[in-house]
Amino acid sequence: MYGRDVLSGDWRRPRRGQIPEIAAEPDLVVEDAEGRFCGAVVACDKEAVTLEDRFGRRRVFPLTPAGFLLDGKPVTLVRPQAGPKGPLRSASGSIAVEGLRAQVARESRIYVEGVHDASLVEKIWGHDLRVEGVVVEYLEGVDDLPAIVEEFGPEPGRRLGVLVDHLVPGSKESRIAARVSGDDVLVVGHPFVDIWQAVKPRALGIAAWPDVPRGVPWKEGVIDALGWRMDPQETWRHILGRVTTYADLEPELLGRVEQLIDFVTAP
């Protein structure tokens, strides 16, 4: 009358219909079925889901039945259904212009310090800059900025925006910026020692950017502290390859670049 042993069987594989199916929407926090990893959903495809914990560590889990715990209860994660298609977005978050043909370049320009800065700006804001017809060039340092500004000859309709690394009060960069700023020249900066730090650590799978002692070259010190067996150029290619959208960058950089674009495109 009582049937088979009620304690037999595998609780992780319950009968169909007993375990709820939950869409793996971004930021949903779950644990794996063993309770060994807890994180928020950051990506999901038809076979697996990627979770990121509070330390920025990511793990990929298959979408197996009853494979996760939500509020301590087993659930089956499923791929979210595609919603109504919205406007296509560029890497910067702006509405992308489909079939874009680059505009004739404005006389106004944006200057950044080095080739790494230029490549990062291009990757995130390249679409926006082509829509507006804005060219980005790099300075290879700010020491010669006063001479470059004088040669450029800024005036109404021919504005110059400059992005500077480590622009903090009392620094050499701040003194140079004060010498050249004016109605048609805008110098802004971020607080980071190098543009590398403008990339969020979680995008690289690290907890934080390491502190580098004084007297040690910053980039080499970072590479050694993280145990990366790469030279600075290889390291930068690795970092840039992990950046896909504006969400991978710190707000201190995002705001400054948007400010420069607005400045050089203002009527």
Side-chain angles (χ1 to χ4, degrees), residues 157-193:
R158 182 179 168 82
R159 288 181 157 186
L160 181 61
V162 184
L163 179 68
V164 177
D165 295 343
H166 199 230
L167 188 62
V168 295
S171 65
K172 174 188 71 174
E173 291 82 0
S174 66
R175 292 190 292 271
I176 293 175
R179 290 172 55 190
V180 301
S181 296
D183 292 341
D184 300 305
V185 179
L186 176 64
V187 181
V188 299
H190 54 74
F192 309 115
V193 175

Side-chain angles (χ1 to χ4, degrees), residues 50 178 216 250:
T50 302
V216 177
E250 299 288 0

Side-chain angles (χ1 to χ4, degrees), residues 209-252:
W209 287 101
D211 292 326
V212 177
R214 285 184 175 273
V216 177
W218 189 83
K219 290 178 180 177
E220 287 76 4
V222 165
I223 294 170
D224 289 342
L226 293 175
W228 290 348
R229 297 183 178 181
M230 295 179 278
D231 63 32
Q233 289 301 322
E234 292 173 323
T235 301
W236 173 243
R237 288 194 291 271
H238 168 71
I239 293 170
L240 189 63
R242 300 297 295 271
V243 175
T244 55
T245 74
Y246 70 95
D248 295 321
L249 302 181
E250 299 288 0
E252 291 90 340

Side-chain angles (χ1 to χ4, degrees), residues 13-24:
R13 296 179 179 275
R15 293 190 299 275
R16 181 174 298 179
Q18 291 187 337
I19 297 297
E21 292 188 347
I22 304 296

